[in-house]
Amino acid sequence: MSFDDYKAVIDEGDTVILYLTISQIYSIRAEAKTLSKKGVEVENVFQTPYGALKCADLIGKPYGSKITLSKGWGYVMQPTPELWTQTLPHRTQIIYTPDISMIILQLEIAPGSIVVESGTGSGSLSHALIRAVKPTGHLYTFDFHKNRVELVREEFAQHGLSDYVTVSQRDVCSSGFGDELENKADSVFLDLPHPWQAIPHTLNVIKETGGRICSFSPCIEQVQKSCEVLSKLGFQEIQTMEVLQTSYSVQTRKLPVLDLDFLKSEKDGTETKGKEREVVKCVTAVPPASMPGHTGYLTFASLPPVWARSLQISLNQAQEDNSPDL
Amino acid sequence: MSFDDYKAVIDEGDTVILYLTISQIYSIRAEAKTLSKKGVEVENVFQTPYGALKCADLIGKPYGSKITLSKGWGYVMQPTPELWTQTLPHRTQIIYTPDISMIILQLEIAPGSIVVESGTGSGSLSHALIRAVKPTGHLYTFDFHKNRVELVREEFAQHGLSDYVTVSQRDVCSSGFGDELENKADSVFLDLPHPWQAIPHTLNVIKETGGRICSFSPCIEQVQKSCEVLSKLGFQEIQTMEVLQTSYSVQTRKLPVLDLDFLKSEKDGTETKGKEREVVKCVTAVPPASMPGHTGYLTFASLPPVWARSLQISLNQAQEDNSPDL
Amino acid sequence: MDQNVIKVGDFVIVQRQGYTKLHKLKAHGTLSLGSFTVELDNIVGEKYGATFQMKNFPGNRKLFTLEKVDEMPGITSINIEKSGLDNRNITDDGQSQNLTTEDISKLKSEELNSNSIVEKLINNSKTFNSKTEYSQEKYIKKKEKKYFEYVQIRRPTIRLLATMFYRQDPSKTLGIRIDDLSQILTYSNIQSQGTHLLYDSGTSGLLPAALLHQLGGGSPAHLIHLHPGNECQKSALVAMNFPPEQLNRCINVNLYSVLRCYYQQKETFDDPPASKKMKIEEGAVPKKPNWQMENERACQLLNKGVDSLIIASKEHPNALVSQLAQFLTGGRNLIVFNQSREPLQDLYLHLKEKLDFIHIKIVTNFMRNYQVLANRTHPEVNMTTGGYILTAFKLK
Amino acid sequence: MDQNVIKVGDFVIVQRQGYTKLHKLKAHGTLSLGSFTVELDNIVGEKYGATFQMKNFPGNRKLFTLEKVDEMPGITSINIEKSGLDNRNITDDGQSQNLTTEDISKLKSEELNSNSIVEKLINNSKTFNSKTEYSQEKYIKKKEKKYFEYVQIRRPTIRLLATMFYRQDPSKTLGIRIDDLSQILTYSNIQSQGTHLLYDSGTSGLLPAALLHQLGGGSPAHLIHLHPGNECQKSALVAMNFPPEQLNRCINVNLYSVLRCYYQQKETFDDPPASKKMKIEEGAVPKKPNWQMENERACQLLNKGVDSLIIASKEHPNALVSQLAQFLTGGRNLIVFNQSREPLQDLYLHLKEKLDFIHIKIVTNFMRNYQVLANRTHPEVNMTTGGYILTAFKLK
């Protein structure tokens, strides 16, 4: 119940982020009991590299406080969509914070927005969308897979977010988004293998006053087909981009300074390495050895208000005719 | 005549690089006379933002020395392929040094190598290829356009490089590279609108002991078609990459340091901005406001030696059959 | 009143091809757009998203008016007949165009049609045919842009403002690019709740506007916007046409002034809400100046602790963080933006030493746009550089 | 002798899928390749570029031998029948595989066929079916790689060595990535002429090998390779199988030792070439130790001036440049590589102050590889970071 509003203290049932080091971050539940793999109720104990943690002990602890473990310590954080993205159980490839951030800004989402998402996947983006639209807006999220839908619905309930989100099982490519959503959405997000099949259906869900759309695709061929369909349907401001984030740690490195001037005067041939111990300190930001080289392409577009749509279609066609061949 | 070997002093006829500032670099010829646009012989004077330069005055000056202009000064440099790339007359989009560097290393070019290039374009890459293969190797370069061929041939002569290069007019896509080059080349470079049409012809020019190929293409569709053809023909180690270079200048910035602690004690409400004049110096590398976001994709591949080619084809086909659908 | 209708008093974005301009719509106002002066009267009462054609104003060559268009005429492409071989002999001495400025101005006033004007310019250019094909295409694009006759009227959004400001001059927003802005918003965990503290020494109001947008309308959340000068920068804040209720929850106060107020009157802020107290006082003492009321309002909120601390400063961040971190509630995030990496490295080491922050990271982004067209798909050939963001989590 | 034939004494690169290993071929030698020990006798006398299959050695389960293959059997893909929903319940407790190490070893020794082994591993895995499809594909790829039965023998090249060293451990080459290396070579303007001066404090011989490769065989050019220790690193230098004439033009000398020699015997280096002089002396005095001969040979060349100065150091570059720039002829280039930007910033400011260098730049690269496959084209999901290169032009 810990994803809505800012909290001071851990309540029973809260999802809690346990921080050990910058690369050891886990999500656990502040509950005394849990179900074992065999479905039996057992004590809820989380094993960390620094010793076991009885989850019941977390209840009543302030967020941001230090937790002692048998062989070290950790800190408890209130979950944010960003921390959840780092710790959630992967059911699919997920969307990460740099892309999520760009999606929310480009789709112009704010409290009150009605947002449509397909597919839900592991719910990484969904949590950030809900934070942005609540309490007066709503997220309608669709996934093709029944089990994913059930799991993510349960997660939203555990996280206290059920009021702000509706999860449905649906193949939006073949069936569209349903009549209830007709002309309701401010923006639509698609993360589908064949987004170009779903794009025509988005014309029905976007408000008459217009709206924004985003399609996330790992492969350039998906982007090519999507852009073609978007242009034909009269979307404007079609823009494809890529955001890659590098994360640095800061280190102080010591560089030896060679003293070579003494060689000009000194005549005897003693140890050659004798004089190089002087060092200079150098503060530097160190990137990781390997970093994300690609997540996906983000394609954004605007659907104009109904009163400007037909004009836009003729404009797009004219531009296409006008473009020279390679 | 100044592109071959390292020179100390400017001779008559040398192409000379005039350096004014990091963004004002020009190539001029150390000759007393030049032809005007109307074909009349006139005095060879180069106009700079810092005054006129009589090119005849350069003869006999050491490379690396300072040249006084009427309103400032400049420096004379012996041309390198890199400086030439910065100053050459553009007849086409050209290939720049970061890509050129990668091409030469990946094509494993060294003195003695026989290299085939198409198209020659403005000769930017050609100069670097010649530097790498001379004096015992040779560059065979082809262009579709008659006039480009003539201009670049003249340039090579002026630069003293004619012994190391043969320029021919030819549409290699339709006509191949000619019988004289059969099984002669260590490596082949293609910068063509439809490289996949030329790739089959490269099988005839590459040595029986195998060789390397590179195709430079701005658009991903060209890459897709080229890779498909390369794979079918039994090339191996097919690799597509992109190199983007950022160039920094180093600056010392002064950041104001705010003194806010005094607010805790001081009681009177005097000028709020009175105390912020302390500064801290910060050395930082400043990237340009806008940098190259794309030049082209470089696709490299190896043609195995004849004794291993058929095996490679079957291997490539097996891999393709094996790859799952999206 | 229909908020889709363009009204006098609205801030609007006038878009002409890729170019956008922010404008406050006055009755009978004009706007200069490239080389044109345009009368905007005809857009009032029309709807956002509509497209207008610039037409010469009868009887005034210099002035253009806007006429709503509902369909586009067919656009024909310009044929290039002959191209040169290289750029060796092309010197731009300003003498290559036979048409005078006066001629061109006349062309514009007869009928503004970018296609026909560009064709006339080409026909009267001495050098066009000797330019390379590559330069010719560039020339046509540039001129078409200059004489393009259609504009669209858009309602300002954070996305459009961020893009426009950065394109005009990155220093207008301290170098905050759209990806930077988007990540500042997510890492600060901002939402329609809580109190948020921002120090901003000059983003043209973009950062407070973006944060306020995420707080939403009719919510209990507040933004305390600290600034270093006498007045805060607020271009983007006013451009967003926020309803007064929402705009009022952004408390703009001077950094020094509010800190002085906080330290001097600390004991009073634990009292019941300021609004009540003020009312009682109103009758007794002379009304306080507005800035003082705002300072006290901010101090009441600061005293309870804030749910995010965001800094985008020209000044070195260490002193600012040292001073302002006291207001940040334990368990919440600090976000510091800078165009250079070095000041954030200093801050990183400073925070590591002090031990009350964990999960400290510095991030930066590579962002690139793509041209996606049949057989011509590639990344755009120009790319910008963004800034750096330090994020850290405050311990209890 | 045909240089395409694999000979005892050659350095060869053994490639198995994306993995490569450098090996000096001895008579009757073995090589460990992943979990396999492989006998290499069968490759001697075959040609570079050939493909071999690993086959169990009769009578010795642990040992594999290589058999040349001329055609590949058809490869069938592995079908995934059932996938799990998320990775929530997958704990890698090492108990999920029913086959014992002994069982697997037996499978390998019966017939090494990655496809059939992977299928058996899957059939005997308790958790495979509950993994997500995504994890299953990863598992199959990983296992296929482990049991892949074909290897190829390649002749070492700079490209292959640079790629292999960086993949194994970037610190092996001071962080020099292939793009860095390529640009060091072009900016130094190296070619089959002149004298080139390199200080290298540990690139496993990659940098001297790459420079020597550009000097070519049978050329008059020299490389003076300064190193900080008793011996220089030379893995890549020897791996390249350079002819002795070429290898001999790379003069490997200790930095301190050669500088001392230079300062102490400065006046003698203007004399006729050392070789002549040496011959005369040979009869009279005892032969000098080899390192002393090399020092004198280097000093002769240094005294005439060098045509490029290249530094890739662990040490701060300022002192090195201050000392070594005296040998760089005016009109030639200085190239300094570092994995961090900061030491080069220091050098940049140092050079700006001193005024004898112009055209000073620091560059770095973004390099990315692509997967190009029908309908699945995208940049590779992992990317590395390169280093920084400072270039500067020395004035006369």
Side-chain angles (χ1 to χ4, degrees):
Chain A
M1 306 297 283
S2 46
F3 279 75
D4 194 12
D5 208 347
Y6 303 98
K7 297 190 67 172
V9 170
I10 299 173
D11 289 318
E12 185 165 1
D14 274 8
T15 296
V16 174
I17 305 295
L18 177 67
Y19 177 98
L20 301 179
T21 67
I22 202 136
S23 55
Q24 295 173 300
I25 304 181
Y26 310 95
S27 112
I28 52 182
R29 294 199 68 206
E31 284 186 325
K33 299 286 174 187
T34 188
L35 294 182
S36 75
K37 281 182 197 169
K38 291 170 189 156
V40 183
E41 201 175 67
V42 293
E43 192 180 15
N44 190 12
V45 176
F46 184 76
Q47 298 296 339
T48 84
Y50 307 104
L53 174 68
K54 284 187 191 171
C55 298
D57 294 349
L58 295 175
I59 300 165
K61 289 262 183 348
Y63 280 110
S65 61
K66 191 170 176 173
I67 299 295
T68 306
L69 301 166
S70 58
K71 288 177 282 177
W73 64 86
Y75 302 94
V76 282
M77 296 167 146
Q78 186 183 347
T80 62
E82 291 66 47
L83 291 168
W84 180 245
T85 290
Q86 277 186 66
T87 58
L88 59 77
H90 281 213
R91 295 181 279 268
T92 53
Q93 284 276 43
I94 66 164
I95 301 180
Y96 289 95
T97 298
D99 289 321
I100 290 173
S101 304
M102 185 58 81
I103 290 163
I104 289 176
L105 198 153
Q106 291 276 349
L107 292 186
E108 303 182 338
I109 296 172
S113 296
I114 305 298
V115 180
V116 171
E117 178 192 36
S118 180
T120 316
S122 303
S124 171
L125 172 63
S126 314
H127 280 78
L129 291 173
I130 293 168
R131 172 179 61 188
V133 303
K134 76 189 171 68
T136 46
H138 202 84
L139 172 66
Y140 295 89
T141 185
F142 298 90
D143 204 289
F144 178 74
H145 292 273
K146 184 157 173 279
N147 285 324
R148 276 189 214 148
V149 166
E150 282 164 11
L151 283 170
V152 83
R153 190 182 285 137
E154 193 187 312
E155 267 169 12
F156 290 141
Q158 280 180 2
H159 295 169
L161 300 174
S162 299
D163 288 352
Y164 315 125
V165 59
T166 304
V167 193
S168 313
Q169 186 200 349
R170 195 178 189 100
D171 176 2
V172 300
C173 290
S174 60
S175 322
F177 299 91
D179 294 341
E180 324 79 75
L181 287 179
E182 204 169 317
N183 298 335
K184 285 264 170 57
D186 292 289
S187 47
V188 177
F189 173 80
L190 303 176
D191 176 7
L192 298 168
H194 306 106
W196 56 91
Q197 296 177 348
I199 290 169
H201 299 297
T202 67
L203 293 174
N204 298 323
V205 293
I206 294 177
K207 285 182 177 167
E208 295 195 338
T209 51
R212 295 276 294 165
I213 186 172
C214 174
S215 175
F216 174 93
S217 299
C219 302
I220 195 71
E221 293 86 355
Q222 296 167 301
V223 174
Q224 291 167 316
K225 288 180 193 153
S226 299
C227 285
E228 200 188 328
V229 171
L230 286 168
S231 174
K232 286 217 176 102
L233 294 176
F235 282 84
Q236 63 175 11
E237 298 182 284
I238 303 169
Q239 187 188 19
T240 298
M241 61 166 70
E242 217 189 345
V243 183
L244 292 177
Q245 190 186 72
T246 310
S247 174
Y248 292 98
S249 73
V250 177
Q251 292 175 11
T252 304
R253 285 192 175 161
K254 288 180 183 169
L255 297 186
V257 174
L258 296 181
D259 176 11
L260 300 166
D261 278 331
F262 81 98
L263 295 166
K264 290 184 192 170
S265 44
E266 244 176 63
K267 288 281 168 191
D268 68 306
T270 51
E271 228 311 62
T272 51
K273 286 158 99 184
K275 295 245 178 179
E276 68 186 77
R277 299 297 86 182
E278 200 193 328
V279 294
V280 62
K281 278 188 190 176
C282 165
V283 174
T284 184
V286 183
S290 172
M291 19 185 238
H294 185 62
T295 54
Y297 299 100
L298 293 168
T299 298
F300 297 102
S302 298
L303 186 67
V306 277
W307 55 84
R309 275 179 213 176
S310 61
L311 179 67
Q312 196 52 45
I313 292 174
S314 75
L315 201 70
N316 285 348
Q317 278 164 353
Q319 276 169 351
E320 260 173 47
D321 295 344
N322 200 21
S323 53
D325 275 344
L326 183 72
Chain B
M1 309 296 285
S2 46
F3 278 75
D4 194 12
D5 208 347
Y6 303 97
K7 297 190 67 172
V9 169
I10 299 172
D11 289 317
E12 185 165 0
D14 274 8
T15 296
V16 174
I17 305 295
L18 177 67
Y19 177 99
L20 301 178
T21 67
I22 202 137
S23 55
Q24 295 173 300
I25 303 181
Y26 310 95
S27 111
I28 52 182
R29 294 199 67 207
E31 283 186 326
K33 301 287 177 189
T34 188
L35 293 183
S36 75
K37 280 182 196 169
K38 290 168 188 157
V40 184
E41 202 176 66
V42 294
E43 191 181 15
N44 191 12
V45 176
F46 185 76
Q47 298 296 338
T48 83
Y50 306 105
L53 173 69
K54 285 187 192 172
C55 298
D57 293 351
L58 294 175
I59 300 164
K61 289 260 181 355
Y63 280 110
S65 61
K66 191 170 176 173
I67 299 295
T68 306
L69 301 166
S70 58
K71 288 177 282 180
W73 63 88
Y75 302 94
V76 282
M77 296 167 147
Q78 185 183 349
T80 62
E82 291 66 46
L83 292 167
W84 181 244
T85 291
Q86 276 187 67
T87 58
L88 58 78
H90 281 212
R91 295 181 278 268
T92 54
Q93 285 275 43
I94 66 164
I95 301 180
Y96 290 95
T97 298
D99 289 321
I100 290 174
S101 305
M102 185 58 81
I103 291 163
I104 290 176
L105 197 152
Q106 291 276 350
L107 293 186
E108 303 183 337
I109 297 172
S113 297
I114 305 299
V115 180
V116 171
E117 177 192 36
S118 180
T120 316
S122 303
S124 172
L125 172 64
S126 314
H127 280 79
L129 292 173
I130 293 169
R131 173 180 59 189
V133 303
K134 75 186 174 69
T136 46
H138 203 84
L139 172 66
Y140 295 89
T141 184
F142 298 90
D143 205 289
F144 178 74
H145 290 273
K146 183 159 172 280
N147 285 324
R148 275 190 213 146
V149 166
E150 282 164 10
L151 283 170
V152 83
R153 191 182 286 138
E154 193 186 310
E155 268 170 11
F156 289 141
Q158 280 181 2
H159 295 168
L161 300 174
S162 301
D163 288 352
Y164 315 126
V165 57
T166 304
V167 192
S168 313
Q169 186 199 349
R170 195 179 189 101
D171 177 0
V172 300
C173 290
S174 60
S175 321
F177 299 91
D179 294 341
E180 323 79 75
L181 287 180
E182 205 169 317
N183 298 335
K184 285 262 170 56
D186 292 289
S187 48
V188 177
F189 173 79
L190 303 176
D191 175 9
L192 298 168
H194 306 104
W196 57 91
Q197 297 176 349
I199 289 169
H201 298 297
T202 67
L203 292 176
N204 299 323
V205 292
I206 294 177
K207 285 183 177 166
E208 296 195 336
T209 51
R212 295 276 294 165
I213 186 172
C214 173
S215 175
F216 174 92
S217 298
C219 302
I220 195 71
E221 293 85 355
Q222 296 168 298
V223 174
Q224 292 167 318
K225 288 179 195 155
S226 300
C227 285
E228 200 188 327
V229 171
L230 285 169
S231 174
K232 285 217 177 100
L233 293 176
F235 283 84
Q236 63 174 10
E237 298 184 285
I238 303 169
Q239 186 188 21
T240 297
M241 61 165 69
E242 218 189 344
V243 182
L244 292 177
Q245 191 187 71
T246 310
S247 172
Y248 293 97
S249 73
V250 177
Q251 291 176 12
T252 303
R253 285 191 175 160
K254 288 179 183 169
L255 297 186
V257 174
L258 297 179
D259 175 12
L260 299 166
D261 279 331
F262 81 100
L263 294 166
K264 290 183 189 169
S265 45
E266 244 174 63
K267 287 284 165 189
D268 69 305
T270 51
E271 226 313 58
T272 50
K273 287 158 98 183
K275 294 244 177 179
E276 68 185 77
R277 297 299 84 177
E278 199 194 328
V279 293
V280 62
K281 279 190 190 172
C282 164
V283 174
T284 184
V286 183
S290 171
M291 17 184 240
H294 184 61
T295 54
Y297 299 101
L298 294 168
T299 298
F300 297 102
S302 299
L303 185 65
V306 277
W307 54 85
R309 274 179 214 176
S310 62
L311 178 67
Q312 196 53 44
I313 293 173
S314 75
L315 201 68
N316 285 348
Q317 278 165 351
Q319 274 167 354
E320 258 173 48
D321 295 344
N322 200 21
S323 53
D325 274 341
L326 184 71
Chain C
M1 193 160 181
D2 186 353
Q3 61 161 2
N4 294 301
V5 174
I6 302 166
K7 294 177 293 291
V8 169
D10 282 4
F11 278 84
V12 301
I13 286 178
V14 181
Q15 178 166 352
R16 183 163 162 254
Q17 286 200 332
Y19 176 83
T20 51
K21 190 164 188 173
L22 181 64
H23 181 74
K24 183 171 184 174
L25 201 56
K26 300 189 192 83
H28 314 305
T30 61
L31 169 76
S32 63
L33 207 59
S35 60
F36 303 95
T37 303
V38 184
E39 234 231 8
L40 295 176
D41 268 10
N42 288 351
I43 72 168
V44 177
E46 297 291 348
K47 284 182 167 175
Y48 282 104
T51 298
F52 299 86
Q53 185 173 4
M54 290 196 276
K55 296 241 169 164
N56 192 253
F57 202 81
N60 184 344
R61 264 200 182 183
K62 303 264 169 203
L63 199 60
F64 288 77
T65 185
L66 293 178
E67 253 175 45
K68 184 153 174 285
V69 285
D70 292 310
E71 58 182 35
M72 299 289 283
I75 295 175
T76 54
S77 63
I78 292 167
N79 286 320
I80 297 173
E81 279 164 15
K82 201 186 150 201
S83 303
L85 201 62
D86 69 22
N87 58 4
R88 194 187 299 253
N89 296 313
I90 312 270
T91 43
D92 189 10
D93 55 2
Q95 302 293 312
S96 56
Q97 182 54 254
N98 283 328
L99 295 180
T100 63
T101 317
E102 182 60 13
D103 293 339
I104 294 171
S105 165
K106 200 169 156 229
L107 276 179
K108 281 159 59 176
S109 70
E110 274 160 9
E111 191 215 7
L112 188 59
N113 176 320
S114 59
N115 252 53
S116 92
I117 293 181
V118 174
E119 257 179 294
K120 291 200 178 80
L121 287 172
I122 290 174
N123 293 339
N124 287 284
S125 164
K126 291 176 202 154
T127 52
F128 186 82
N129 284 332
S130 53
K131 282 177 197 274
T132 61
E133 209 176 313
Y134 173 67
S135 312
Q136 287 173 335
E137 276 166 19
K138 260 175 125 173
Y139 177 90
I140 291 174
K141 264 200 182 155
K142 192 179 142 194
K143 294 298 181 186
E144 274 183 344
K145 204 169 169 182
K146 192 166 174 187
Y147 301 108
F148 189 72
E149 64 267 37
Y150 297 99
V151 303
Q152 209 183 10
I153 308 297
R154 327 261 324 253
R155 196 205 318 274
T157 66
I158 296 297
R159 169 177 68 91
L160 293 173
L161 294 170
T163 308
M164 181 172 66
F165 287 175
Y166 192 89
R167 195 197 56 235
Q168 288 171 353
D169 179 2
S171 72
K172 267 186 110 154
T173 55
L174 300 178
I176 294 181
R177 201 171 55 174
I178 196 159
D179 52 325
D180 295 321
L181 179 62
S182 74
Q183 292 175 22
I184 291 170
L185 297 176
T186 49
Y187 288 123
S188 69
N189 192 27
I190 197 157
Q191 50 193 280
S192 58
Q193 277 140 335
T195 301
H196 303 272
L197 179 59
L198 165 70
Y199 175 77
D200 176 334
S201 52
T203 66
S204 303
L206 180 65
L207 206 38
L211 292 166
L212 192 58
H213 184 240
Q214 294 313 122
L215 297 186
S219 86
H222 284 87
L223 174 66
I224 304 172
H225 171 209
L226 307 178
H227 56 85
N230 292 325
E231 284 276 347
C232 70
Q233 292 185 357
K234 51 171 71 166
S235 311
L237 260 180
V238 296
M240 283 294 288
N241 304 311
F242 285 121
E245 173 277 327
Q246 189 171 2
L247 196 57
N248 190 42
R249 281 185 285 113
C250 174
I251 308 171
N252 306 308
V253 285
N254 172 274
L255 169 70
Y256 295 90
S257 179
V258 76
L259 283 177
R260 184 177 287 115
C261 174
Y262 178 79
Y263 288 124
Q264 289 177 3
Q265 307 177 32
K266 207 167 180 178
E267 52 292 343
T268 69
F269 299 125
D270 292 329
D271 293 353
S275 53
K276 270 190 199 168
K277 210 177 130 203
M278 299 279 170
K279 271 180 196 150
I280 299 165
E281 282 177 5
E282 256 174 56
V285 296
K287 196 173 180 311
K288 290 181 186 175
N290 194 52
W291 62 265
Q292 183 61 24
M293 304 266 283
E294 290 294 279
N295 275 344
E296 287 174 7
R297 214 174 133 217
C299 288
Q300 295 278 356
L301 292 165
L302 286 176
N303 199 46
K304 287 185 209 138
V306 300
D307 297 297
S308 70
L309 169 57
I310 299 149
I311 294 175
S313 68
K314 285 178 181 159
E315 302 85 6
H316 198 285
N318 282 18
L320 284 159
V321 170
S322 297
Q323 191 66 222
L324 298 176
Q326 63 178 312
F327 302 115
L328 183 62
T329 302
R332 308 282 187 266
N333 294 320
L334 164 70
I335 317 295
V336 184
F337 173 85
N338 206 291
Q339 203 172 0
S340 302
R341 199 176 66 189
E342 289 77 4
L344 298 185
Q345 292 179 186
D346 296 344
L347 180 60
Y348 184 104
L349 295 176
H350 177 76
L351 293 174
K352 278 270 180 192
E353 264 170 33
K354 301 260 287 177
L355 296 174
D356 51 350
F357 281 90
I358 58 166
H359 203 209
I360 311 169
K361 283 201 293 192
I362 296 177
V363 299
T364 189
N365 300 298
F366 169 91
M367 185 180 80
R368 200 158 65 159
N369 291 317
Y370 280 75
Q371 169 182 302
V372 182
L373 290 171
N375 288 321
R376 277 164 297 142
T377 300
H378 60 72
E380 287 184 4
V381 293
N382 285 311
M383 193 174 67
T384 56
T385 39
Y388 296 83
I389 303 169
L390 178 144
T391 62
F393 176 86
K394 193 185 181 190
L395 294 178
K396 200 76 186 180
Chain D
M1 193 160 177
D2 185 353
Q3 62 162 0
N4 293 302
V5 174
I6 302 166
K7 293 177 293 293
V8 169
D10 283 4
F11 279 84
V12 301
I13 286 178
V14 181
Q15 179 167 351
R16 182 162 163 256
Q17 286 202 333
Y19 176 84
T20 51
K21 189 164 190 174
L22 180 64
H23 182 74
K24 183 170 184 173
L25 201 56
K26 297 188 194 85
H28 314 304
T30 60
L31 171 75
S32 64
L33 206 59
S35 60
F36 303 94
T37 303
V38 183
E39 233 231 11
L40 295 176
D41 268 8
N42 289 353
I43 73 168
V44 176
E46 297 291 347
K47 285 180 167 177
Y48 282 104
T51 298
F52 299 86
Q53 186 173 5
M54 290 196 276
K55 296 241 169 164
N56 192 254
F57 202 82
N60 184 345
R61 263 199 182 187
K62 303 263 170 203
L63 198 59
F64 288 78
T65 185
L66 293 178
E67 252 175 46
K68 183 150 174 286
V69 285
D70 291 311
E71 58 182 33
M72 297 290 282
I75 295 175
T76 55
S77 64
I78 293 167
N79 285 321
I80 298 173
E81 280 166 16
K82 200 185 153 205
S83 304
L85 202 61
D86 69 21
N87 58 4
R88 196 186 298 253
N89 296 315
I90 312 271
T91 42
D92 189 9
D93 54 2
Q95 304 293 313
S96 53
Q97 181 55 253
N98 283 329
L99 295 181
T100 62
T101 318
E102 182 60 15
D103 291 341
I104 295 170
S105 167
K106 197 167 158 234
L107 276 179
K108 280 158 62 176
S109 69
E110 275 161 10
E111 189 213 11
L112 188 59
N113 176 321
S114 58
N115 252 53
S116 91
I117 293 181
V118 174
E119 259 179 294
K120 291 202 178 81
L121 287 172
I122 290 174
N123 294 338
N124 288 284
S125 163
K126 291 177 202 153
T127 53
F128 186 82
N129 284 334
S130 54
K131 283 179 197 272
T132 61
E133 209 175 313
Y134 173 66
S135 311
Q136 287 172 335
E137 277 166 20
K138 262 174 120 172
Y139 177 89
I140 290 174
K141 265 199 183 155
K142 193 178 143 195
K143 295 298 180 188
E144 275 183 342
K145 206 169 166 180
K146 193 165 174 186
Y147 301 107
F148 189 72
E149 64 267 37
Y150 297 99
V151 303
Q152 210 182 9
I153 307 298
R154 327 259 325 249
R155 197 205 317 275
T157 67
I158 296 297
R159 170 178 68 91
L160 293 173
L161 293 170
T163 308
M164 182 174 65
F165 286 176
Y166 192 88
R167 197 197 56 233
Q168 288 172 353
D169 179 4
S171 73
K172 267 185 109 153
T173 57
L174 300 178
I176 295 181
R177 203 171 53 175
I178 196 158
D179 51 326
D180 295 321
L181 180 63
S182 76
Q183 292 175 22
I184 291 170
L185 298 176
T186 50
Y187 288 122
S188 68
N189 192 28
I190 198 157
Q191 50 194 279
S192 57
Q193 276 137 336
T195 301
H196 303 272
L197 179 57
L198 165 70
Y199 175 77
D200 176 335
S201 51
T203 67
S204 305
L206 180 65
L207 206 39
L211 292 166
L212 192 58
H213 184 238
Q214 295 312 123
L215 297 185
S219 87
H222 283 88
L223 174 66
I224 304 171
H225 171 210
L226 307 178
H227 57 85
N230 292 326
E231 283 276 347
C232 69
Q233 293 186 355
K234 50 172 70 166
S235 313
L237 261 180
V238 295
M240 283 294 288
N241 304 310
F242 285 120
E245 173 280 326
Q246 189 170 3
L247 196 59
N248 190 41
R249 281 183 287 112
C250 174
I251 308 170
N252 305 309
V253 285
N254 172 274
L255 170 70
Y256 295 91
S257 177
V258 76
L259 283 176
R260 184 177 287 115
C261 172
Y262 179 78
Y263 289 123
Q264 288 178 3
Q265 307 178 33
K266 207 168 182 177
E267 53 291 345
T268 69
F269 300 126
D270 292 329
D271 293 352
S275 55
K276 270 193 201 167
K277 212 178 128 201
M278 299 278 169
K279 272 181 195 151
I280 300 165
E281 283 178 1
E282 256 175 56
V285 297
K287 198 174 178 314
K288 291 182 187 176
N290 193 50
W291 61 266
Q292 183 62 23
M293 304 268 282
E294 289 295 279
N295 275 345
E296 287 175 7
R297 212 172 134 221
C299 288
Q300 295 279 358
L301 292 165
L302 286 175
N303 199 46
K304 288 187 207 134
V306 300
D307 297 297
S308 70
L309 170 56
I310 299 149
I311 294 176
S313 68
K314 285 178 181 160
E315 302 85 6
H316 198 287
N318 282 20
L320 284 159
V321 171
S322 297
Q323 191 67 221
L324 299 176
Q326 63 178 313
F327 302 115
L328 184 63
T329 302
R332 307 283 186 263
N333 294 320
L334 165 71
I335 316 295
V336 185
F337 173 85
N338 206 290
Q339 201 173 2
S340 302
R341 199 176 67 191
E342 288 78 4
L344 298 184
Q345 293 180 184
D346 296 345
L347 179 61
Y348 184 103
L349 295 176
H350 177 75
L351 293 174
K352 278 269 179 194
E353 264 169 35
K354 301 261 288 179
L355 297 173
D356 51 349
F357 280 91
I358 58 167
H359 204 207
I360 310 168
K361 284 201 293 192
I362 296 177
V363 299
T364 189
N365 299 299
F366 170 90
M367 185 180 81
R368 202 160 61 161
N369 291 317
Y370 281 76
Q371 169 182 303
V372 182
L373 289 171
N375 288 320
R376 277 165 295 141
T377 300
H378 60 73
E380 287 183 5
V381 293
N382 285 313
M383 194 173 67
T384 55
T385 39
Y388 296 84
I389 302 169
L390 178 144
T391 63
F393 176 84
K394 193 184 182 192
L395 294 177
K396 201 76 186 177

